[in-house]
């Protein structure tokens, strides 16, 4: 199976959309979305997002305009060790949403490192 750049873009947009929906259901009204896909973040932030050909982009734009605060931020892949760790844990075969209410200790340590790095 060949995955094109368009498919990756759409898959990542879908992941952000599902994350926004989940955060809304759980009562969060201030959400920070981080992605290593700068093009995706820029596209969502763009004033023309509501007219984008990608359905997920339009839906994300709608979710961001609801009564909530959504901060969209680009992060370098190398800077986000947590995502890399979680991706390795799933072995690349994750095809479902996994919610970690209490992350494993190795993930928690990486989260703490990320916070420490931001504070410096």
């Amino acid at each position: 199976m060949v995955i094109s750049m368009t498919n990756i873009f759409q898959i990542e947009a879908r992941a952000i959309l599902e994350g926004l929906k989940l955060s809304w259901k759980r009562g969060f009204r201030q959400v920070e979305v981080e992605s290593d896909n700068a093009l995706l973040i820029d596209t969502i932030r763009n004033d023309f997002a509501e007219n984008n050909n990608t359905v997920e982009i339009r839906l994300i734009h709608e979710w961001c305009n609801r009564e909530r605060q959504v901060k969209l931020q680009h992060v370098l892949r190398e800077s986000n060790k947590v995502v890399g760790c979680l991706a390795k844990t799933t072995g690349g075969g994750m095809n479902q949403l996994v919610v970690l209410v209490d992350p494993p200790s190795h993930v928690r340590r990486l989260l703490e490192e990320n916070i420490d790095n931001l504070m410096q």
Side-chain angles (χ1 to χ4, degrees):
M1 176 178 170
V2 176
I3 298 178
S4 70
M5 292 303 287
T6 304
N7 288 346
I8 291 171
F9 187 84
Q10 197 167 8
I11 290 166
E12 291 181 359
R14 182 70 181 187
I16 289 175
L17 177 61
E18 293 302 320
L20 288 172
K21 289 179 182 179
L22 179 64
S23 67
W24 183 263
K25 285 181 187 175
R26 295 202 172 212
F28 294 101
R29 299 301 181 257
Q30 294 181 1
V31 179
E32 185 170 325
V33 176
E34 294 181 348
S35 173
D36 63 1
N37 189 328
L39 178 60
L40 177 59
I41 295 298
D42 287 343
T43 302
I44 295 167
R45 286 181 182 161
N46 189 316
D47 291 337
F48 302 108
E50 61 193 28
N51 298 323
N52 193 287
N53 289 336
T54 305
V55 173
E56 290 82 1
I57 297 296
R58 291 194 311 266
L59 291 171
I60 291 168
H61 188 74
E62 287 177 25
W63 276 90
C64 289
N65 287 329
R66 290 186 177 198
E67 294 180 26
R68 61 190 304 176
Q69 292 179 325
V70 178
K71 179 181 177 185
L72 300 162
Q73 184 172 332
H74 172 253
V75 293
L76 297 175
R77 181 173 290 154
E78 302 81 35
S79 300
N80 195 344
K81 295 177 185 175
V82 175
V83 171
C85 178
L86 291 173
K88 288 176 187 171
T89 302
T90 64
M94 186 166 19
N95 60 359
Q96 61 187 2
L97 176 65
V98 176
V99 178
L100 298 173
V101 176
D102 188 23
S105 59
H106 64 283
V107 172
R108 196 174 308 120
R109 272 194 303 278
L110 291 174
L111 287 167
E112 289 168 358
E113 282 179 31
N114 281 352
I115 291 169
D116 289 342
N117 289 337
L118 289 173
M119 298 298 191
Q120 296 177 0

